[in-house]
Amino acid sequence: MAQQDPLYAMRHSLAHILATAVQHLWPHAKFGVGPVVENGFYYDVDLGETKLSEDDLAKVEAEMHKVIEANHPFEHFEKPVDEAIVWAKEAQQPYKEELLNDLKRAGTTVAKDLNAAELGTIAEGDSQVESVSFYKDGDFTDLCRGPHVENTGKVGAFKLLRVSGAYWRGNEKNAQMQRIYGVAFEADKELRQYLNMLEEAKKRDHRRLGQELDLFIFSDLVGSGLPLFTPRGTVLREELAKFSNELRERHGFQKVWIPHMTKKDLYEMSGHWAKFGDELFLVKSQETSDELVLKPMNCPHHTRIYASRPRSYRDLPLRYLETTTVYRDEKTGELGGLSRVRAITQDDSHAFVRHDQIETEINNLLTAANELYSTVGMELRVRLSYRDDSDAYLGDAGLWASAQDQLKNAVIANELNYFEQEGEAAFYGPKIDFMATDALGREHQVATVQLDFVMPERFGLEYSAEDDSQQRPVMIHCALLGSIERFLSVYIEHTAGRFPVWLAPEQIRLVTVNQEEETVSFADKVAAQAKDLGLRVTVDNSNESVGKKIRAAELMKVPYTVVIGEKEIRQDRLTPRIRKDMEVVAAHPELNFEEFFKTIANEAKSRVSKSSL
RNA sequence: GCCGAAGUAGCUCAGGGGUAGAGCACCUCCAUGGUAAGGAGGGGGUCACGGGUUCAAAUCCCGUCUUCGGCUCCA
């Protein structure tokens, strides 16, 4: 949000008022930073032994309201940096003192390297920082860039939402402070709308829908971050993977298969061991002295298939495709639902290409990604993820620059909406990362295309060129869904579990009006017809009222429900009940079962999201 | 891994030092039904796990596991 925005000043002022309230309640509080964030603000505080819980938020809010009612003016003034340091010492604010000292030492060059949170206290300017900015409301003075509103009464509607831990300056080696989060809007109405939106988001939470729609489970006995997929959830996984594969098979990708464990030597050679060694699962043989690891990625295995025989320039591109699970020992606190798991299924592919083939190959993959995301109805934009000048990257700097250029050219040629970011590359090469926007406007990282000159080098991959010289291929890594688990977490929330026909675990439910033999056998007979067309159909002939069975189908978000009773049996005519969210493009007044099933089968085959009934 | 919160029936949750509750789901029976809940009855829980305090622990304390909100990290 721009600093000129009136909401910005308001939220910034609220952060200040929050600090004021904390100071009133805990006079020895030490303050970190208190920036404006999306929809609100937070302040990091160090209260020594005192640990805040969510119950304390009401108390803090009440104190904030006192400050607001007092309607103090915000007095703005500046001090030279040295004087500000003296102020921080006297006020016993060590965190502010540290920031000021850093600022004095290196000016804004360093200030810009600090994350956005720190910038909240620093005046923008040229490299020489002369003075810093302060605001005072009544009895509390804070180092702060501002801007603020005129007085504490003019801050609109806010609510403190949560309190959590946060490391000082985002570094886990530093002290952990307590972060108090609030949201703020100009008026009550907007605040209420926002809180309602949060409620909506909660209803769409993929963990909740995963339970309600019977898609996946976790078991304490299996372990954290290790989801188990039910029959319904497995349909989703397989249909998605099938689509992702088809999109690449049409560009010459071939499926391969690799085992899920390997000697660690493979990763010592690839460089992954040095970088991610402590996140690998170790597997010890009880028969031999073998010490294996579960694969955390697939590229090194795939290079072994490439290297298994001499390759000619005529063989390239060589394209391997595999939807397979990798295992990463994520820190426990980072796991959550399907968004972050320890068994991660990637729709992974690796193309081994000559330099002159890079552009075409990347174009094909960008086309595939576009088709996939337009089919699932999500807006895409891409991030060009470049290296920065840290030593976290392998390989020749010249190769990096050329790779980064080629990615950018391909993205521009495909007219993709893009932005560039340094420091987001993989250690072996730059990436095109796809960000998809979901129905609630949230952006998620999904697909990725990565150019890699390093892995072929490390594994000594070669091919014989026309002039019989040995040349090095380039590897292009690609995952269109990213990880199936992560994609599902995003997609379930995007659709609120209302899957299009091609993905719906249960496409048609036949509900019998009664349990008479004639009704049930008719339902079974037409269900068999539907199954012959490859449709996923179930029959609900349970001993319940029709209303109740309709309700059950509705709750499971089944796209088509058909009630079967005397009318249907006698006339071979039906009136399907179409899930409410589905847009109907053609009205069929009278349908028989065969027409109905064929229409649905076509819908599924063409992966359309509308109902063609 | 760190800070904070939590774990009671398949699910959603109430209770809380003195032998465990509701709704839904499940099972049985009655009702044979027409597009979002028909009726009656019944089964089901070592109150996450382990240890401690106590005459007595689901309840209090400690540890472990798991989950949630964040931080950090993300090939």
Side-chain angles (χ1 to χ4, degrees):
Chain A
M1 179 186 296
Q3 279 182 55
Q4 300 85 295
D5 192 317
L7 262 177
Y8 186 97
M10 197 198 92
R11 287 171 177 157
H12 216 149
S13 306
L14 276 162
H16 187 122
I17 293 168
L18 168 58
T20 309
V22 169
Q23 165 92 359
H24 288 171
L25 294 168
W26 295 278
H28 300 296
K30 310 281 182 254
F31 293 95
V33 295
V36 173
V37 291
E38 199 178 3
N39 299 315
F41 59 92
Y42 68 79
Y43 220 113
D44 283 350
V45 301
D46 179 350
L47 302 181
E49 296 299 302
T50 308
K51 298 294 175 209
L52 292 176
S53 74
E54 312 247 321
D55 301 335
D56 293 312
L57 291 179
K59 201 162 73 176
V60 178
E61 260 184 33
E63 188 62 29
M64 286 175 74
H65 282 296
K66 278 190 208 161
V67 177
I68 290 165
E69 274 158 36
N71 204 16
H72 298 294
F74 275 110
E75 297 168 41
H76 179 232
F77 57 92
E78 302 211 341
K79 276 183 200 282
V81 178
D82 287 326
E83 279 184 36
I85 292 172
V86 172
W87 163 84
K89 276 205 174 86
E90 281 173 359
Q92 296 181 23
Q93 291 297 339
Y95 299 103
K96 299 289 186 190
E97 191 181 334
E98 187 184 323
L99 285 176
L100 288 164
N101 277 320
D102 273 13
L103 195 58
K104 185 185 169 193
R105 207 174 309 127
T108 47
T109 0
V110 157
K112 277 193 182 132
D113 286 343
L114 305 175
N115 76 37
E118 275 80 17
L119 286 173
T121 59
I122 291 161
E124 301 259 17
D126 48 26
S127 64
Q128 199 57 42
V129 175
E130 302 281 334
S131 63
V132 290
S133 151
F134 285 84
Y135 283 87
K136 180 167 189 282
D137 68 334
D139 55 350
F140 180 70
T141 302
D142 196 16
L143 172 68
C144 181
R145 180 182 51 179
H148 280 4
V149 293
E150 287 161 40
N151 48 53
T152 59
K154 297 195 169 179
V155 287
F158 77 97
K159 182 169 170 56
L160 297 183
L161 285 190
R162 62 180 77 98
V163 55
S164 67
Y167 297 105
W168 170 235
R169 303 183 93 167
N171 185 329
E172 63 181 324
K173 293 190 178 68
N174 288 342
Q176 190 152 37
M177 307 184 72
Q178 300 188 70
R179 177 167 297 177
I180 304 171
Y181 274 99
V183 289
F185 295 90
E186 268 173 61
D188 265 336
K189 189 181 161 200
E190 289 160 297
L191 176 64
R192 277 201 309 273
Q193 271 173 3
Y194 179 76
L195 296 174
N196 282 341
M197 194 277 282
L198 287 186
E199 283 301 307
E200 272 308 300
K202 227 185 214 171
K203 283 185 201 153
R204 286 173 176 247
D205 188 309
H206 75 276
R207 292 168 293 204
R208 176 176 175 159
L209 287 171
Q211 160 68 35
E212 288 174 2
L213 302 180
D214 189 20
L215 301 174
F216 58 87
I217 58 148
F218 287 90
S219 158
D220 279 11
L221 283 175
V222 174
S224 68
L226 299 169
L228 287 73
F229 284 78
T230 62
R232 286 174 174 274
T234 305
V235 169
L236 285 177
R237 289 173 65 96
E238 298 203 332
E239 286 294 332
L240 286 166
K242 191 171 137 205
F243 186 30
S244 165
N245 287 343
E246 279 174 19
L247 287 170
R248 274 171 290 185
E249 280 167 325
R250 68 173 72 144
H251 290 298
F253 280 84
Q254 296 174 293
K255 282 187 188 157
V256 293
W257 186 91
I258 59 174
H260 289 204
M261 55 178 92
T262 170
K263 294 197 289 186
K264 75 174 194 181
D265 308 46
L266 185 66
Y267 301 124
E268 282 171 343
M269 185 165 282
S270 69
H272 288 101
W273 182 262
K275 193 156 165 69
F276 298 108
D278 54 348
E279 288 175 43
L280 301 191
F281 285 106
L282 304 178
V283 181
K284 204 171 168 152
S285 167
Q286 297 186 74
E287 286 292 327
T288 68
S289 59
D290 281 355
E291 291 198 11
L292 302 169
V293 298
L294 287 176
K295 68 179 163 80
M297 83 288 300
N298 310 306
C299 21
H301 278 91
H302 286 181
T303 68
R304 298 303 79 212
I305 300 175
Y306 177 94
S308 62
R309 55 182 60 213
R311 303 293 179 182
S312 150
Y313 71 97
R314 292 198 186 90
D315 298 332
L316 303 191
L318 217 49
R319 307 178 180 96
Y320 299 147
L321 173 67
E322 181 172 16
T323 298
T324 180
T325 305
V326 297
Y327 305 88
R328 296 176 185 175
D329 199 1
E330 306 280 2
K331 294 178 187 170
T332 52
E334 290 160 357
L335 301 170
L338 292 182
S339 335
R340 198 76 179 269
V341 292
R342 297 199 288 182
I344 307 154
T345 309
Q346 298 176 322
D347 58 329
D348 207 2
S349 70
H350 296 99
F352 298 85
V353 307
R354 308 190 305 252
H355 278 82
D356 61 293
Q357 294 169 326
I358 292 175
E359 200 180 321
T360 316
E361 198 61 28
I362 289 181
N363 278 340
N364 290 345
L365 294 170
L366 295 185
T367 309
N370 265 330
E371 181 167 346
L372 193 149
Y373 285 91
S374 75
T375 301
V376 297
M378 297 174 92
E379 286 280 321
L380 267 192
R381 64 175 188 145
V382 305
R383 175 179 69 202
L384 285 162
S385 300
Y386 301 149
R387 64 174 293 169
D388 53 29
D389 43 18
S390 77
D391 56 5
Y393 306 95
L394 299 180
D396 177 71
L399 281 180
W400 271 85
S402 129
Q404 292 183 176
D405 278 350
Q406 290 184 73
L407 287 185
K408 186 171 176 177
N409 291 340
V411 162
I412 290 171
N414 277 271
E415 297 178 342
L416 289 165
N417 176 8
Y418 75 95
F419 65 103
E420 297 162 278
Q421 201 163 332
E422 291 189 357
E424 289 288 335
F427 73 86
Y428 48 72
K431 306 189 282 182
I432 302 174
D433 288 317
F434 290 76
M435 326 289 290
T437 303
D438 71 16
L440 297 183
R442 299 170 300 185
E443 201 168 50
H444 309 269
Q445 191 185 320
V446 281
T448 175
V449 174
Q450 311 177 2
L451 205 45
D452 177 5
F453 296 96
V454 172
M455 209 71 61
E457 178 84 33
R458 297 207 133 213
F459 284 105
L461 304 184
E462 290 184 328
Y463 65 87
S464 304
E466 264 175 298
D467 61 3
D468 202 29
S469 64
Q470 288 301 299
Q471 298 293 327
R472 185 134 289 156
V474 177
M475 258 174 105
I476 299 171
H477 308 241
C478 172
L480 293 179
L481 297 164
S483 106
I484 291 191
E485 292 77 16
R486 215 189 118 66
F487 180 86
L488 275 175
S489 77
V490 171
Y491 187 67
I492 289 169
E493 297 185 9
H494 174 63
T495 56
R498 295 185 284 257
F499 304 117
V501 167
W502 70 278
L503 281 172
E506 184 182 345
Q507 295 163 320
I508 302 168
R509 183 176 296 192
L510 305 177
V511 167
T512 62
V513 161
N514 55 38
Q515 293 193 294
E516 280 163 17
E517 161 63 20
E518 189 188 19
T519 321
V520 172
S521 64
F522 182 83
D524 287 343
K525 189 189 83 190
V526 293
Q529 275 174 36
K531 279 177 192 154
D532 283 346
L533 290 167
L535 290 169
R536 296 184 286 270
V537 59
T538 61
V539 176
D540 183 355
N541 60 13
S542 61
N543 189 9
E544 298 290 349
S545 66
V546 174
K548 191 162 183 176
K549 292 198 270 192
I550 293 285
R551 177 179 147 82
E554 201 73 50
L555 289 174
M556 290 308 275
K557 302 182 177 169
V558 178
Y560 296 103
T561 306
V562 181
V563 175
I564 291 186
E566 199 173 345
K567 241 176 7 188
E568 286 73 22
I569 298 171
R570 301 282 168 256
Q571 303 166 10
D572 188 32
R573 281 286 182 277
L574 64 116
T575 315
R577 189 184 163 97
I578 305 173
R579 202 178 57 206
K580 287 189 190 70
D581 63 285
M582 296 204 298
E583 201 180 322
V584 179
V585 295
H588 284 233
E590 290 276 88
L591 271 176
N592 66 32
F593 278 92
E594 194 185 349
E595 288 161 358
F596 173 67
F597 292 142
K598 280 189 173 159
T599 309
I600 309 302
N602 270 330
E603 247 172 71
K605 195 178 161 210
S606 53
R607 298 193 174 99
V608 293
S609 57
K610 292 173 182 169
S611 168
S612 25
L613 288 180

